[in-house]
Amino acid sequence: MRNSVLYTIEKGELDKLIGILHRDGYTVVGPTVRDGAIGYEAIESVQQLPIGWTDEQAPGHYRLKRRDDDLYFGHVVGPQSIKKFFFPPKQRLFGIRREGENDYVFEATQPEPPRYAFVGVRACDLAAVRVQDRVFNDVMPDPYYAKARSQAVFIGVNCAEPGGTCFCTSMDTGPRCTQGFDIALTELKSTFTVEVGSDKGRKLLEALEHKTTDANTKHLVDLMMQSAAEHMGRSLNTDGLPEMLLNNLQHPHWDEVAKRCMDCANCTLSCPTCFCSNVEDKTDLTGDHAERWRTWGSCFTLEFSYHTGGYNRSSTAARYRQWLTHKLASWHEQFGTSGCVGCGRCITWCPVGIDITKEANAITDDVKRFRAEQERQRAEEVGS
Amino acid sequence: MITAIDQRPDVVSGDANAMSPVWARIVSRCQESSNTASYTMKFVDPEIGRRYRFLPGQFNMMYLFGVGEAAISVSSDPANSDSLVHTIRHVGSVTFAVDRLKVGQCVGLRGPFGSNWPLESCKGRDILLVAGGIGIAPLRPAIYQLLKNRDQYGRVILLYGIRSPQDMIFKEEVEEWMERRDFQVLITVDYPSENWTGPVGVVTKLLRRVRVDSRNTSVFVCGPRVMNRAAAHSFLSHYVPEDQIFVSLERNMRCGIGQCGHCQYGPKFVCKDGPVFSYASVRNLFGKDEV
Ligand SMILES: Cc1cc2nc3c(=O)[nH]c(=O)nc-3n(C[C@H](O)[C@H](O)[C@H](O)COP(=O)(O)OP(=O)(O)OC[C@H]3O[C@@H](n4cnc5c(N)ncnc54)[C@H](O)[C@@H]3O)c2cc1C
Ligand code: SF4
Ligand code: SF4
Ligand code: FES
């Protein structure tokens, strides 16, 4: 139950909103069907939204399917989040020209980011932006990220039908947008309800034909959200999880997962919070012009942990353990939050269907069983 | 006075994101051993030279035009920020490129990054420094400060392990230190030469030759991983408390500012939470393989 004022707009108003955002100079980004999946791309109108499409998701499985209605947002999240718009996969950090033997001149560094308006962002992805803020914005702000972030508009969408790999309820990030949005929509048959999250959002709403939502509809929205929360595809037991994982770095289950893991890095590349990058320096053929590029990196590659003395994580088991313990455990100490928002992408896009919730739960359950057995034995000793 | 700084000095870099370098000119070069040299540098922009400060144990990211970057500790005296010295073992692409530079040419620098040897909080205690090979470089700024403020510390002892006598770096200085009565310096080699009369074997063997007052000793360790582990465990078995053993760690580093993720060591970012860690703060990770 959420105690905020809701407004109702007719569906047609969404196209008007997109038009207003364009007019105000925003690059409007929304979900759209491309290459057999739904991704965030620049869109011109609601016509490019995945109207009438849904996505069937399971571990290692993703398929677009026709819905029997024409909902705009009757799908969940696709392979890519909006991370790429703030933290581009490939980015030039600077260029340098050598003039004469010993004189170096910096050339224009980074381009100015566009002003983005994101339409149809889910609660998990909004949460992921706040997770990445702690890396790129809060301490030593990355100029491109900080700029793109500060001028962005977020039109969230609440999820009524979670996907097969979703577990935002476990991570306390969804299915309802509760923060980080300017406007949050709930899609009904012929209308949207609108919650306003900022002054920017209020101004946008005021430009649209709207009325206060009646009590019945409000109640319906609450019921939809409650039902969504109860129908998550997965669930993760987070109780005492960070300590449990960090105390079990030698658990045999890491080796068991490593037998299945292919080191492909799909999980880190699709994850909306993974922030690792490589820094590459190169020169052109003349040798007088050098550039520094930053590209997405992944702890699943061997080179990632390379240093003069060798590799710090030479086995797949060690790399998988780094990934999972980082997401669910050490992130807390680093940033005061989990590194996982429960979007399920790493599960869907893993070619062999390795499931973060299943692997973590397996270790938790095993440790619990072990403790219970110890308790039982102790009780027996005391009793005898 | 420099030793009074307990807050980290500002990072110097080419622009706001701390990912681009400023230029420093090599003003002299001193060959320390067959593969190691010390480079004295001055910032090309004198204003940066006036501003730049570092603490013992901190490092810079050194950029070689078009080649890449490597993390390199500052090895000079923090009180003398006018001449910044980097002591470099030439092992790979960036460090080979430094080796090829001539005096008068430039490298890029950004920094200083990371944590420092806790000289302030260890005042009044015996300081035991353990260096392995190039590991003496990040300890040298601490040695300068300890000797300058000698009356503020108990005994000061250096245990220095090298492969062979020819691999000793800072040779003249080490000999000067050995002359001092207020600084005990012990050196051991893995492979002695014919005229070597000193100890042979791993650096932890030197511990037999010194008295460790476990309640009043702080230990600073920097060397290869195997040595760091052995040293930390020896001191623990001498009952030096976990929070008085400090180790400087080496990891792959691409940014220095906690953003690239490469240097992660469990929950720690070695570039900003380290490189100097108390044993107590990494107890659960230290000595574990593959973390
Ligand atoms: C905090 C900190 C402080 C440091 N201080 C100093 C210092 O004061 N002085 C000093 O000399 N060093 C110092 N180092 C170490 C220095 O940063 C490394 O030696 C660095 O790797 C040198 O970079 P390079 O490009 O010259 O060598 P690299 O190119 O990294 O090569 C090193 C060696 O590894 C091999 N290699 C390179 N890439 C790979 C790969 N992908 N897979 C397998 N092998 C590979 C190379 O062939 C070579 O043998 C410090 C490191 C840290 C983290
Ligand atoms: S770890 Fe997996 S479920 Fe969690 S945020 Fe990343 S991609 Fe989503
Ligand atoms: S270390 Fe691995 S899991 Fe953690 S942010 Fe980097 S790529 Fe993602
Ligand atoms: S070196 Fe990039 S995070 Fe530490």
Side-chain angles (χ1 to χ4, degrees):
Chain A
M1 181 57 126
R2 202 166 149 78
N3 246 341
S4 43
V5 185
L6 286 191
Y7 302 92
T8 297
I9 60 173
E10 291 297 320
K11 272 211 169 149
E13 292 299 286
L14 185 61
D15 210 32
K16 194 158 132 201
L17 177 60
I18 291 173
I20 292 170
L21 289 166
H22 275 134
R23 200 196 57 210
D24 289 351
Y26 286 98
T27 300
V28 179
V29 169
T32 192
V33 174
R34 183 179 286 187
D35 304 328
I38 294 170
Y40 290 110
E41 304 290 344
I43 56 166
E44 295 305 317
S45 78
V46 290
Q47 287 318 313
Q48 285 160 279
L49 295 175
I51 300 174
W53 285 102
T54 192
D55 41 7
E56 186 182 82
Q57 301 198 31
H61 173 85
Y62 181 99
R63 197 159 60 101
L64 287 186
K65 273 180 21 185
R66 273 277 164 211
R67 299 179 60 92
D68 50 16
D69 55 29
D70 50 9
L71 289 187
Y72 292 4
F73 299 108
H75 56 275
V76 284
V77 296
Q80 291 280 313
S81 68
I82 57 173
K83 171 169 94 172
K84 62 180 178 181
F85 298 101
F86 299 127
F87 169 37
K90 235 176 150 251
Q91 196 174 11
R92 196 179 85 148
L93 295 184
F94 60 71
I96 309 178
R97 216 173 48 250
R98 176 160 53 191
E99 298 194 332
E101 165 100 63
N102 218 353
D103 202 7
Y104 301 96
V105 185
F106 274 98
E107 289 168 350
T109 50
Q110 292 178 38
E112 282 289 302
R115 295 167 70 220
Y116 288 116
F118 300 101
V119 175
V121 187
R122 307 309 169 115
C124 57
D125 280 354
L126 289 175
V129 172
R130 295 195 300 280
V131 171
Q132 283 225 321
D133 280 351
R134 297 173 202 233
V135 182
F136 292 119
N137 216 2
D138 290 358
V139 184
M140 178 92 69
D142 172 79
Y144 187 92
Y145 184 99
K147 183 96 193 267
R149 177 74 179 84
S150 69
Q151 61 196 16
V153 167
F154 296 92
I155 315 288
V157 167
N158 295 325
C159 291
E161 297 170 25
T165 56
C166 294
F167 58 107
C168 60
T169 310
S170 304
M171 306 317 290
D172 206 15
T173 57
R176 190 170 201 157
C177 303
T178 53
Q179 50 177 319
F181 58 85
D182 296 291
I183 279 179
L185 307 172
T186 308
E187 184 170 22
L188 302 171
K189 241 194 170 88
S190 58
T191 58
F192 288 110
T193 66
V194 181
E195 183 177 341
V196 170
S198 72
D199 292 342
K200 248 192 247 174
R202 180 157 304 279
K203 282 215 186 73
L204 290 172
L205 175 71
E206 275 160 12
L208 305 175
E209 200 80 48
H210 66 281
K211 59 177 195 232
T212 310
T213 306
D214 62 74
N216 275 348
T217 311
K218 229 184 137 187
H219 185 59
L220 174 68
V221 169
D222 283 337
L223 287 180
M224 284 166 64
M225 290 302 109
Q226 201 179 324
S227 156
E230 286 160 8
H231 287 90
M232 289 291 142
R234 321 258 119 191
S235 80
L236 176 68
N237 181 357
T238 59
D239 203 23
L241 186 60
E243 302 72 37
M244 199 280 301
L245 289 171
L246 294 178
N247 289 333
N248 286 283
L249 296 179
Q250 317 293 351
H251 197 281
H253 195 69
W254 301 117
D255 290 320
E256 200 284 308
V257 187
K259 288 192 195 128
R260 288 173 277 144
C261 175
M262 301 179 21
D263 275 332
C264 71
N266 268 13
C267 49
T268 56
L269 297 178
S270 64
C271 180
T273 67
C274 273
F275 57 82
C276 286
S277 61
N278 297 321
V279 175
E280 285 155 21
D281 290 295
K282 43 191 165 195
T283 45
D284 64 2
L285 286 177
T286 67
D288 287 332
H289 182 261
E291 295 192 339
R292 171 167 299 170
W293 286 76
R294 184 175 74 179
T295 55
W296 284 2
S298 169
C299 59
F300 272 94
T301 62
L302 184 59
E303 307 82 72
F304 187 83
S305 70
Y306 156 75
H307 77 145
T308 328
Y311 299 103
N312 282 318
R313 300 184 203 100
S314 58
S315 68
T316 302
R319 295 194 286 276
Y320 185 83
R321 180 178 69 183
Q322 162 62 20
W323 173 73
L324 189 138
T325 55
H326 189 213
K327 298 270 101 172
L328 299 177
S330 44
W331 213 292
H332 285 274
E333 181 179 329
Q334 293 174 343
F335 301 108
T337 173
S338 171
C340 173
V341 297
C343 71
R345 288 185 175 92
C346 56
I347 307 172
T348 300
W349 296 96
C350 174
V352 294
I354 293 175
D355 176 345
I356 185 171
T357 64
K358 227 167 113 190
E359 310 309 342
N361 288 341
I363 296 178
T364 304
D365 293 346
D366 190 57
V367 170
K368 271 196 188 145
R369 254 195 314 275
F370 179 72
R371 287 205 193 120
E373 177 63 17
Q374 271 187 325
E375 283 293 310
R376 199 184 56 76
Q377 282 181 7
R378 215 172 295 140
E380 262 176 23
E381 277 163 30
V382 173
S384 63
Chain B
M1 185 153 85
I2 282 289
T3 45
I5 296 180
D6 51 16
Q7 216 187 335
R8 289 194 194 172
D10 288 341
V11 170
V12 161
S13 72
D15 59 16
N17 68 352
M19 281 302 286
S20 58
V22 296
W23 303 104
R25 180 159 289 138
I26 298 174
V27 294
S28 68
R29 171 188 165 127
C30 164
Q31 192 72 33
E32 301 280 4
S33 73
S34 62
N35 67 356
T36 304
S38 288
Y39 300 83
T40 305
M41 309 187 171
K42 267 189 168 39
F43 288 104
V44 171
D45 178 349
E47 155 57 20
I48 292 175
R50 276 191 292 278
R51 216 156 25 99
Y52 183 88
R53 293 279 178 284
F54 73 95
L55 295 172
Q58 287 196 296
F59 65 94
N60 285 320
M61 294 298 284
M62 183 179 289
Y63 170 70
L64 270 286
F65 182 77
V67 180
E69 260 187 333
I72 305 289
S73 312
V74 191
S75 69
S76 48
D77 187 348
N80 186 4
S81 61
D82 204 37
S83 68
L84 191 65
V85 181
H86 283 297
T87 303
I88 301 174
R89 195 159 61 106
H90 310 119
V91 295
S93 47
V94 173
T95 48
F96 286 149
V98 183
D99 192 18
R100 287 193 295 270
L101 291 181
K102 295 190 275 292
V103 167
Q105 286 189 297
C106 288
V107 299
L109 292 179
R110 54 192 182 94
F113 297 114
S115 61
N116 54 288
W117 302 110
L119 291 171
E120 275 301 305
S121 58
C122 292
K123 279 196 173 148
R125 305 175 63 86
D126 290 353
I127 307 294
L128 224 158
L129 306 126
V130 185
I134 185 80
I136 188 111
L139 282 167
R140 192 169 69 162
I143 295 174
Y144 287 136
Q145 288 297 306
L146 288 165
L147 296 181
K148 265 194 189 152
N149 303 289
R150 189 61 197 81
D151 53 338
Q152 298 180 31
Y153 297 90
R155 292 180 302 148
V156 178
I157 303 163
L158 169 66
L159 312 181
Y160 182 19
I162 40 181
R163 275 173 57 83
S164 71
Q166 301 85 275
D167 289 318
M168 188 189 303
I169 60 172
F170 309 143
K171 193 160 190 296
E172 279 171 26
E173 252 173 323
V174 172
E175 280 163 5
E176 277 170 38
W177 293 338
M178 292 176 91
E179 300 286 304
R180 289 180 71 129
R181 306 200 39 195
D182 59 356
F183 188 17
Q184 188 183 357
V185 178
L186 294 173
I187 303 170
T188 180
V189 302
D190 292 328
Y191 305 99
S193 56
E194 268 176 26
N195 46 11
W196 177 258
T197 53
V200 176
V202 292
V203 72
T204 41
K205 273 170 76 181
L206 292 175
L207 263 177
R208 287 193 216 131
R209 298 167 185 249
V210 294
R211 186 174 50 80
V212 181
D213 173 4
S214 61
R215 278 161 313 146
N216 195 39
T217 299
S218 299
V219 186
F220 299 174
V221 184
C222 185
R225 181 153 64 172
V226 190
M227 191 212 84
N228 291 346
R229 282 187 189 187
H233 290 125
S234 306
F235 287 110
L236 288 172
S237 65
H238 277 78
Y239 303 106
V240 177
E242 291 185 345
D243 60 357
Q244 290 302 333
I245 300 173
F246 299 91
V247 188
S248 183
L249 301 179
E250 198 189 312
R251 282 312 255 206
N252 184 325
M253 290 187 183
R254 301 294 178 92
C255 73
I257 56 173
Q259 291 185 348
C260 76
H262 282 260
C263 70
Q264 284 180 90
Y265 179 52
K268 308 294 182 193
F269 288 97
V270 175
C271 68
K272 63 183 181 124
D273 304 322
V276 179
F277 290 98
S278 76
Y279 181 88
S281 68
V282 291
R283 179 198 304 121
N284 296 337
L285 306 161
F286 202 77
K288 285 217 175 81
D289 285 319
E290 300 263 296
V291 288

